[in-house]
Every structure is written in structure tokens, then in C-alpha cells.
Amino acid sequence: MKLGHAVLATAFAAVIAHAALAQQPAAPAPMIKRGATMKIADHSYVILDDNVGFVPNVGIIVGERATLIVDTGMGPDNGAIVLEEARKLSDNTEFYLTATHFHPEHDLGATAFPANAKMIRWRGQQAETDETGADTIARFSSFSPAVGALLAKASYRKPDTVFDDEITLDLGGVHVRVTGVGPAHTRGDTVMYVDEDKVLLTGDVVMPVFPAASAQSANIAQWLASIAKFEAFAPRVVVPAHGKLIDAGTLARYREYFTAVQAETRAAKRQGQSVEAAQAAIAPKLAQQFSELAPQGGGPATGRINAAIQAAYREAP
């Protein structure tokens, strides 16, 4: 009899828990917010992600002749919102499109733009798109029904220009340097710098939180060289791919972080430690030392730090 009561109590508790879970609000659909475009400099605007997963910070740079869009959102439904917002800012009919990297929330809204819009990609980003783009769409589509629905009609827009290293876009009185800097978060990471506004759009290469380094391909030495170049720009505003706007202070903190990752990982490797032993020794210490870079919501930082250590271990002498 007591066992029967226990089983009934357990079943009742499970029903209550399931009901409570069902009543929890669903995660917001990954849609770029309408009417939220914010001016950050004379020619530069952003639509912040509002802390919604799978939504990028969108950059809109407006010249006298043309408008550049940086990261068009996940699928053409999001791209249409970005186009609508851009058209509110000027009468320009000429558009350039770029992406900070090939992940779907950054590059798959481009097909919503008119046929005469020009897609610009760094050669490293285009190669990654060609090699793994289709598989990436399929993988992201499995994350949730909402994401799957947005990607059901999504495809990568064919590039009009594929450049080596760096290209400067003249939008009419406004000049934007578009530079390939990967491998870092991805093999094809690309950043944009607006000369006249001193605005730097860094994608996932510099973020308000610990970077999500590609453990398999990231190059820490190259990442540090890129940060040195960013610091030389002395940007007034830094627009990351996700989260709040940052500034040159975060660039300096990233430099300190990667310098520590590189130095401590090299020392561990010289001492004969395995990569796993190095991660166990180094990651908790760096998580505490750079605690202000912890992910929003208090999630563990060591996973991202471990990925950076793995990359640094691979390239260490």
C-alpha cells in the first residue's frame, strides 16, 4: 500500500512538473526587431539583437550613394526586415551586403535584397560557405521548429565580389574597409571598419563575453595580430556580432586574455602536460581572472576557454 502511494505521489509530481514546464514562456522566435534601429555615429546604425538567440547585431552604414548591410539575419524573412529598416534611413537604391561569418543568422537574409544588391565575401569565408554551408543550414534547422521554419527557404546568396585580404567600399563620402581575419570563431571571420565614423564591426572575433574560438582551426597568434590592428584603429564604438556595444577597452582585455592563454598553454606544453591537463589547470584560473567576460546568465566559461587552450596547444612549439 505504501509503495502504491509512493508511485502515485511520484506520478503526480511528474504531472505537476510537466504542467509547470508547459506553462513556461517559449523562447522568442529569432527575429530581428522592427523599429529598433539605433544611430551610433554620423553614418552608422545598428539593430541590436535584444539578447535573443540566433539573432545578430545588424550593421547599416549609409553613404550618399549606397548603403552597406553587415549581417542580414536568419533567412529571407529576417532579411526583409533589415531591408525595410535600411530604406527608412535613406533613399539609396544601391546596396552592398556582407557577413561577419557564414553562420545562418549572419548570412542567410541576403536573398531578400533586390537583385542589383552586391554580395561581398572574403575568399576564406566563401570557401567555408562552399564547403560546409549546406550542412550548416541542416544542422541549424534541427535546433528548433522556429529556426527550421526560417531556414526552410534559405540559401546563400551568390557573391558578386570575392576579395583577397581586404577591400575598401566607397559608399559615397563614407569608406568601409572589409578585412578577412579568420581562422578565429570560424575559418572565414570578416570584420568591417568605417573610416569616417571610427566604428568597428567585429563579428564574433571580439565580443562582450569570452570568444567562442574554433578549437579545430583557430589561430591564436593571428587572433592577437588582428586585435593589434583593431587597437591601431582606435575605434570609438565596437559592434560585436551579439550582445551590447563595446569599446576599445574590450579590445585591450581580449589582448590580455589571449596573451595569457598563449603563454600559459605554451608553458604547460613545454612541461609535458597533455592538452587535457593544461585545460584543467588553466581554464578555471582564467575564468576567475577575466570574470567580467563570463557568459550572460552565469553559464560556465570554461568550455570557451578550453577551446582557446586547445587551439593554442596545437600551434605552440
Side-chain angles (χ1 to χ4, degrees):
M1 185 67 175
K2 288 182 180 179
L3 180 60
H5 282 304
V7 171
L8 287 173
T10 301
F12 182 72
V15 170
I16 294 297
H18 179 76
L21 183 63
Q23 291 173 8
Q24 290 179 0
M31 298 300 297
I32 292 165
K33 194 172 182 180
R34 282 186 167 90
T37 302
M38 176 173 65
K39 186 173 185 176
I40 59 171
D42 288 345
H43 314 93
S44 301
Y45 302 79
V46 297
I47 310 172
L48 294 177
D49 62 4
D50 207 23
N51 295 316
V52 176
F54 300 116
V55 173
N57 289 334
V58 177
I60 305 175
I61 318 303
V62 181
E64 296 173 359
R65 177 181 55 80
T67 298
L68 169 67
I69 308 296
V70 179
D71 288 353
T72 52
M74 182 175 283
D77 290 349
N78 272 297
I81 294 172
V82 177
L83 176 59
E84 175 187 317
E85 292 297 311
R87 282 175 167 164
K88 294 177 184 178
L89 301 176
S90 79
D91 295 328
N92 289 342
T93 57
E94 188 174 348
F95 289 95
Y96 292 95
L97 311 173
T98 64
T100 57
H101 55 291
F102 82 116
H103 285 165
E105 73 268 35
H106 300 275
D107 199 356
L108 284 177
T111 55
F113 280 74
N116 66 341
K118 298 177 178 64
M119 186 79 218
I120 311 294
R121 287 201 191 98
W122 174 45
R123 192 170 302 281
Q125 187 181 114
Q126 185 61 49
E128 190 169 25
T129 300
D130 291 340
E131 291 169 22
T132 64
D135 289 342
T136 300
I137 292 175
R139 179 167 60 87
F140 272 66
S141 295
S142 70
F143 290 167
S144 75
V147 171
L150 287 171
L151 294 180
K153 50 187 175 181
S155 60
Y156 289 97
R157 186 170 180 137
K158 291 183 179 179
D160 296 278
T161 300
V162 176
F163 67 92
D164 295 310
D165 301 327
E166 182 174 292
I167 188 172
T168 297
L169 302 177
D170 182 354
L171 306 179
V174 186
H175 301 84
V176 185
R177 301 186 221 180
V178 186
T179 308
V181 298
H185 173 62
T186 65
R187 286 187 288 132
D189 293 297
T190 306
V191 302
M192 300 82 193
Y193 180 68
V194 187
D195 280 326
E196 287 76 10
D197 288 351
K198 297 185 77 67
V199 168
L200 178 66
L201 299 101
T202 55
D204 280 57
V205 177
V206 180
M207 302 277 283
V209 297
F210 283 108
S214 169
Q216 291 72 38
S217 63
N219 185 306
I220 303 304
Q222 183 171 315
W223 210 320
L224 278 165
S226 295
I227 292 171
K229 182 175 181 177
F230 303 160
E231 289 189 291
F233 288 145
R236 296 192 188 101
V237 183
V238 178
V239 182
H242 303 282
K244 65 182 181 180
L245 299 177
I246 51 181
D247 57 23
T250 305
L251 299 179
R253 200 62 174 144
Y254 256 50
R255 171 172 43 78
E256 293 165 0
Y257 165 70
F258 277 119
T259 299
V261 168
Q262 187 182 64
E264 298 203 25
T265 302
R266 284 178 174 177
K269 189 173 183 179
R270 281 197 302 268
Q271 293 166 10
Q273 293 184 27
S274 67
V275 65
E276 294 80 10
Q279 289 169 330
I282 298 169
K285 180 169 59 175
L286 292 185
Q288 184 174 8
Q289 183 179 348
F290 298 91
S291 59
E292 78 277 14
L293 296 177
Q296 186 180 20
T302 51
R304 290 191 170 198
I305 299 171
N306 281 337
I309 292 169
Q310 183 175 333
Y313 193 96
R314 187 180 60 250
E315 66 191 67

